[in-house]
Short mmCIF file of all heavy atoms in Angstrom, two decimals:
data_model
loop_
_atom_site.label_atom_id
_atom_site.label_comp_id
_atom_site.label_asym_id
_atom_site.label_seq_id
_atom_site.Cartn_x
_atom_site.Cartn_y
_atom_site.Cartn_z
N LYS A 1324 -6.62 23.13 71.08
CA LYS A 1324 -7.89 23.77 70.77
C LYS A 1324 -7.86 25.23 71.22
O LYS A 1324 -7.43 25.56 72.32
CB LYS A 1324 -9.02 23.02 71.48
CG LYS A 1324 -10.39 23.20 70.89
CD LYS A 1324 -11.38 22.23 71.51
CE LYS A 1324 -11.09 20.79 71.15
NZ LYS A 1324 -12.09 19.86 71.68
N GLY A 1325 -8.29 26.11 70.34
CA GLY A 1325 -8.30 27.53 70.62
C GLY A 1325 -7.00 28.24 70.24
O GLY A 1325 -6.95 29.47 70.22
N ARG A 1326 -5.96 27.46 69.95
CA ARG A 1326 -4.67 28.05 69.56
C ARG A 1326 -4.30 27.72 68.12
O ARG A 1326 -3.68 28.53 67.44
CB ARG A 1326 -3.56 27.54 70.49
CG ARG A 1326 -3.76 27.88 71.95
CD ARG A 1326 -2.53 27.52 72.78
NE ARG A 1326 -2.25 26.09 72.77
CZ ARG A 1326 -1.10 25.56 72.36
NH1 ARG A 1326 -0.13 26.33 71.92
NH2 ARG A 1326 -0.91 24.24 72.40
N PHE A 1327 -4.67 26.54 67.66
CA PHE A 1327 -4.34 26.09 66.31
C PHE A 1327 -5.59 26.11 65.44
O PHE A 1327 -6.69 25.85 65.90
CB PHE A 1327 -3.79 24.67 66.33
CG PHE A 1327 -2.42 24.52 66.96
CD1 PHE A 1327 -1.82 25.56 67.66
CD2 PHE A 1327 -1.74 23.32 66.85
CE1 PHE A 1327 -0.58 25.40 68.25
CE2 PHE A 1327 -0.49 23.15 67.42
CZ PHE A 1327 0.09 24.19 68.13
N THR A 1328 -5.38 26.39 64.15
CA THR A 1328 -6.48 26.37 63.19
C THR A 1328 -6.03 25.64 61.93
O THR A 1328 -4.99 25.98 61.36
CB THR A 1328 -6.92 27.79 62.81
OG1 THR A 1328 -7.31 28.51 63.99
CG2 THR A 1328 -8.11 27.75 61.85
N ILE A 1329 -6.81 24.66 61.54
CA ILE A 1329 -6.52 23.92 60.32
C ILE A 1329 -7.41 24.42 59.20
O ILE A 1329 -8.56 24.80 59.43
CB ILE A 1329 -6.71 22.39 60.54
CG1 ILE A 1329 -6.16 21.61 59.35
CG2 ILE A 1329 -8.18 22.06 60.80
CD1 ILE A 1329 -6.12 20.09 59.61
N SER A 1330 -6.87 24.46 58.00
CA SER A 1330 -7.66 24.87 56.84
C SER A 1330 -7.10 24.17 55.61
O SER A 1330 -6.00 23.60 55.66
CB SER A 1330 -7.62 26.39 56.67
OG SER A 1330 -6.29 26.84 56.46
N ARG A 1331 -7.85 24.22 54.54
CA ARG A 1331 -7.38 23.60 53.31
C ARG A 1331 -7.78 24.43 52.11
O ARG A 1331 -8.82 25.09 52.12
CB ARG A 1331 -7.89 22.17 53.18
CG ARG A 1331 -9.39 22.01 53.03
CD ARG A 1331 -9.82 20.56 53.23
NE ARG A 1331 -9.36 19.68 52.16
CZ ARG A 1331 -9.37 18.34 52.24
NH1 ARG A 1331 -9.82 17.76 53.33
NH2 ARG A 1331 -8.95 17.61 51.23
N ASP A 1332 -6.96 24.41 51.09
CA ASP A 1332 -7.23 25.08 49.83
C ASP A 1332 -7.14 24.02 48.75
O ASP A 1332 -6.04 23.64 48.34
CB ASP A 1332 -6.21 26.20 49.60
CG ASP A 1332 -6.51 27.02 48.36
OD1 ASP A 1332 -7.25 26.53 47.48
OD2 ASP A 1332 -6.00 28.14 48.24
N ASN A 1333 -8.30 23.54 48.31
CA ASN A 1333 -8.30 22.46 47.33
C ASN A 1333 -7.76 22.91 45.98
O ASN A 1333 -7.27 22.08 45.21
CB ASN A 1333 -9.71 21.90 47.17
CG ASN A 1333 -10.14 21.08 48.37
OD1 ASN A 1333 -9.31 20.57 49.11
ND2 ASN A 1333 -11.45 20.96 48.56
N THR A 1334 -7.83 24.20 45.68
CA THR A 1334 -7.30 24.69 44.40
C THR A 1334 -5.78 24.58 44.37
O THR A 1334 -5.18 24.50 43.30
CB THR A 1334 -7.71 26.15 44.15
OG1 THR A 1334 -7.12 26.98 45.15
CG2 THR A 1334 -9.23 26.30 44.20
N LYS A 1335 -5.18 24.57 45.54
CA LYS A 1335 -3.72 24.45 45.63
C LYS A 1335 -3.29 23.10 46.19
O LYS A 1335 -2.09 22.86 46.38
CB LYS A 1335 -3.16 25.57 46.52
CG LYS A 1335 -3.40 26.96 46.00
CD LYS A 1335 -2.81 28.01 46.93
CE LYS A 1335 -3.03 29.41 46.38
NZ LYS A 1335 -2.47 30.45 47.30
N ASN A 1336 -4.26 22.24 46.48
CA ASN A 1336 -3.96 20.93 47.09
C ASN A 1336 -3.07 21.09 48.32
O ASN A 1336 -2.09 20.36 48.51
CB ASN A 1336 -3.26 20.02 46.08
CG ASN A 1336 -4.24 19.23 45.24
OD1 ASN A 1336 -5.44 19.25 45.48
ND2 ASN A 1336 -3.73 18.56 44.23
N THR A 1337 -3.43 22.04 49.14
CA THR A 1337 -2.61 22.36 50.31
C THR A 1337 -3.46 22.47 51.56
O THR A 1337 -4.57 23.01 51.52
CB THR A 1337 -1.85 23.68 50.09
OG1 THR A 1337 -1.01 23.55 48.93
CG2 THR A 1337 -0.98 24.02 51.29
N VAL A 1338 -2.92 21.94 52.65
CA VAL A 1338 -3.55 22.05 53.96
C VAL A 1338 -2.63 22.89 54.85
O VAL A 1338 -1.40 22.75 54.77
CB VAL A 1338 -3.77 20.67 54.59
CG1 VAL A 1338 -4.33 20.81 55.99
CG2 VAL A 1338 -4.70 19.85 53.73
N TYR A 1339 -3.22 23.72 55.64
CA TYR A 1339 -2.45 24.62 56.50
C TYR A 1339 -2.76 24.33 57.97
O TYR A 1339 -3.86 23.91 58.32
CB TYR A 1339 -2.78 26.08 56.19
CG TYR A 1339 -2.57 26.46 54.75
CD1 TYR A 1339 -3.64 26.47 53.86
CD2 TYR A 1339 -1.31 26.80 54.28
CE1 TYR A 1339 -3.46 26.81 52.52
CE2 TYR A 1339 -1.12 27.15 52.95
CZ TYR A 1339 -2.18 27.15 52.08
OH TYR A 1339 -2.00 27.49 50.76
N LEU A 1340 -1.78 24.61 58.80
CA LEU A 1340 -1.99 24.57 60.25
C LEU A 1340 -1.43 25.85 60.82
O LEU A 1340 -0.21 26.03 60.89
CB LEU A 1340 -1.31 23.35 60.88
CG LEU A 1340 -1.58 23.17 62.37
CD1 LEU A 1340 -3.06 22.80 62.58
CD2 LEU A 1340 -0.69 22.09 62.97
N GLN A 1341 -2.32 26.75 61.17
CA GLN A 1341 -1.92 28.01 61.80
C GLN A 1341 -1.78 27.77 63.29
O GLN A 1341 -2.74 27.35 63.94
CB GLN A 1341 -2.96 29.10 61.53
CG GLN A 1341 -2.65 30.42 62.19
CD GLN A 1341 -1.40 31.09 61.63
OE1 GLN A 1341 -1.20 31.11 60.43
NE2 GLN A 1341 -0.57 31.62 62.51
N MET A 1342 -0.60 28.02 63.81
CA MET A 1342 -0.32 27.75 65.21
C MET A 1342 -0.01 29.07 65.91
O MET A 1342 0.98 29.73 65.58
CB MET A 1342 0.85 26.78 65.35
CG MET A 1342 0.66 25.50 64.56
SD MET A 1342 1.96 24.28 64.85
CE MET A 1342 3.37 25.16 64.19
N ASN A 1343 -0.85 29.45 66.85
CA ASN A 1343 -0.68 30.68 67.62
C ASN A 1343 -0.44 30.35 69.08
O ASN A 1343 -0.71 29.24 69.53
CB ASN A 1343 -1.92 31.56 67.48
CG ASN A 1343 -2.19 32.00 66.06
OD1 ASN A 1343 -1.27 32.18 65.26
ND2 ASN A 1343 -3.46 32.17 65.73
N SER A 1344 0.05 31.31 69.80
CA SER A 1344 0.29 31.16 71.25
C SER A 1344 1.08 29.88 71.52
O SER A 1344 0.72 29.09 72.40
CB SER A 1344 -1.04 31.14 72.01
OG SER A 1344 -1.77 32.32 71.78
N LEU A 1345 2.13 29.70 70.79
CA LEU A 1345 2.91 28.48 70.91
C LEU A 1345 3.57 28.36 72.27
O LEU A 1345 3.97 29.36 72.89
CB LEU A 1345 3.97 28.40 69.81
CG LEU A 1345 3.41 28.01 68.44
CD1 LEU A 1345 4.38 28.38 67.32
CD2 LEU A 1345 3.08 26.53 68.40
N LYS A 1346 3.67 27.12 72.73
CA LYS A 1346 4.25 26.81 74.03
C LYS A 1346 5.44 25.87 73.83
O LYS A 1346 5.49 25.14 72.83
CB LYS A 1346 3.21 26.11 74.91
CG LYS A 1346 1.92 26.88 75.09
CD LYS A 1346 0.91 26.06 75.88
CE LYS A 1346 -0.40 26.80 76.04
NZ LYS A 1346 -1.40 25.99 76.80
N PRO A 1347 6.37 25.85 74.77
CA PRO A 1347 7.51 24.93 74.64
C PRO A 1347 7.07 23.48 74.46
O PRO A 1347 7.73 22.72 73.73
CB PRO A 1347 8.27 25.13 75.94
CG PRO A 1347 7.98 26.54 76.32
CD PRO A 1347 6.55 26.76 75.91
N GLU A 1348 5.96 23.10 75.05
CA GLU A 1348 5.48 21.72 74.92
C GLU A 1348 4.92 21.42 73.53
O GLU A 1348 4.59 20.26 73.24
CB GLU A 1348 4.43 21.40 75.99
CG GLU A 1348 3.31 22.40 76.09
CD GLU A 1348 3.54 23.43 77.20
OE1 GLU A 1348 4.68 23.94 77.30
OE2 GLU A 1348 2.57 23.72 77.93
N ASP A 1349 4.84 22.41 72.66
CA ASP A 1349 4.43 22.18 71.28
C ASP A 1349 5.62 21.75 70.42
O ASP A 1349 5.44 21.39 69.25
CB ASP A 1349 3.81 23.44 70.66
CG ASP A 1349 2.50 23.82 71.30
OD1 ASP A 1349 1.68 22.92 71.57
OD2 ASP A 1349 2.28 25.03 71.52
N THR A 1350 6.80 21.77 71.00
CA THR A 1350 7.99 21.38 70.26
C THR A 1350 7.90 19.92 69.83
O THR A 1350 7.67 19.03 70.64
CB THR A 1350 9.25 21.58 71.12
OG1 THR A 1350 9.42 22.98 71.38
CG2 THR A 1350 10.49 21.05 70.41
N ALA A 1351 8.05 19.69 68.53
CA ALA A 1351 7.92 18.34 67.98
C ALA A 1351 8.18 18.39 66.48
O ALA A 1351 8.27 19.47 65.89
CB ALA A 1351 6.54 17.77 68.25
N VAL A 1352 8.24 17.21 65.89
CA VAL A 1352 8.20 17.09 64.44
C VAL A 1352 6.74 16.94 64.05
O VAL A 1352 6.05 16.04 64.55
CB VAL A 1352 9.01 15.88 63.94
CG1 VAL A 1352 8.82 15.70 62.44
CG2 VAL A 1352 10.49 16.06 64.28
N TYR A 1353 6.29 17.83 63.19
CA TYR A 1353 4.90 17.83 62.75
C TYR A 1353 4.81 17.19 61.37
O TYR A 1353 5.53 17.59 60.45
CB TYR A 1353 4.36 19.25 62.70
CG TYR A 1353 4.07 19.82 64.07
CD1 TYR A 1353 5.10 20.13 64.94
CD2 TYR A 1353 2.76 20.03 64.49
CE1 TYR A 1353 4.83 20.64 66.21
CE2 TYR A 1353 2.48 20.53 65.74
CZ TYR A 1353 3.52 20.84 66.59
OH TYR A 1353 3.25 21.34 67.85
N SER A 1354 3.89 16.23 61.25
CA SER A 1354 3.71 15.53 59.98
C SER A 1354 2.26 15.63 59.54
O SER A 1354 1.35 15.56 60.37
CB SER A 1354 4.07 14.05 60.13
OG SER A 1354 5.42 13.89 60.52
N CYS A 1355 2.07 15.78 58.25
CA CYS A 1355 0.71 15.75 57.73
C CYS A 1355 0.43 14.39 57.13
O CYS A 1355 1.36 13.63 56.79
CB CYS A 1355 0.46 16.87 56.72
SG CYS A 1355 1.31 16.69 55.15
N ALA A 1356 -0.83 14.07 57.04
CA ALA A 1356 -1.25 12.77 56.57
C ALA A 1356 -2.55 12.90 55.80
O ALA A 1356 -3.33 13.83 56.02
CB ALA A 1356 -1.43 11.81 57.74
N ALA A 1357 -2.79 11.95 54.90
CA ALA A 1357 -4.00 11.95 54.09
C ALA A 1357 -4.61 10.56 54.10
O ALA A 1357 -3.90 9.55 54.06
CB ALA A 1357 -3.69 12.38 52.65
N GLY A 1358 -5.94 10.52 54.14
CA GLY A 1358 -6.62 9.25 54.11
C GLY A 1358 -8.03 9.39 53.61
O GLY A 1358 -8.60 10.49 53.65
N VAL A 1359 -8.60 8.31 53.15
CA VAL A 1359 -10.00 8.32 52.75
C VAL A 1359 -10.85 8.06 53.99
O VAL A 1359 -10.36 7.47 54.96
CB VAL A 1359 -10.28 7.27 51.66
CG1 VAL A 1359 -9.48 7.60 50.40
CG2 VAL A 1359 -9.96 5.87 52.17
N PRO A 1360 -12.10 8.54 53.99
CA PRO A 1360 -12.95 8.31 55.16
C PRO A 1360 -13.06 6.82 55.47
O PRO A 1360 -13.21 5.99 54.58
CB PRO A 1360 -14.29 8.88 54.70
CG PRO A 1360 -13.91 9.95 53.72
CD PRO A 1360 -12.72 9.41 52.99
N SER A 1361 -12.95 6.49 56.74
CA SER A 1361 -12.99 5.10 57.18
C SER A 1361 -13.66 5.04 58.54
O SER A 1361 -14.10 6.05 59.09
CB SER A 1361 -11.57 4.52 57.26
OG SER A 1361 -10.86 5.13 58.33
N TYR A 1362 -13.70 3.84 59.11
CA TYR A 1362 -14.33 3.71 60.43
C TYR A 1362 -13.37 4.11 61.54
O TYR A 1362 -13.76 4.16 62.70
CB TYR A 1362 -14.85 2.29 60.65
CG TYR A 1362 -13.89 1.20 60.29
CD1 TYR A 1362 -12.86 0.82 61.13
CD2 TYR A 1362 -14.02 0.53 59.07
CE1 TYR A 1362 -12.00 -0.19 60.79
CE2 TYR A 1362 -13.16 -0.49 58.72
CZ TYR A 1362 -12.14 -0.85 59.59
OH TYR A 1362 -11.27 -1.85 59.23
#
């Protein structure tokens, strides 16, 4: 929170994750996922 920003462009069917002030502990494999609203 405060470092990453998520956004989406429906015209391009694309979601973005802007990651700033990255730290070594952010090292990982990042995966995106899609789902319909649920409980």
Side-chain angles (χ1 to χ4, degrees):
K1324 202 170 293 183
R1326 300 188 296 122
F1327 291 10
T1328 302
I1329 190 170
S1330 61
R1331 65 192 292 166
D1332 185 340
N1333 287 337
T1334 64
K1335 298 180 179 179
N1336 273 352
T1337 300
V1338 176
Y1339 304 97
L1340 185 68
Q1341 178 66 44
M1342 306 186 296
N1343 298 329
S1344 302
L1345 283 162
K1346 305 175 181 180
E1348 51 263 45
D1349 293 318
T1350 295
V1352 174
Y1353 285 70
S1354 300
C1355 70
V1359 297
S1361 69
Y1362 47 80

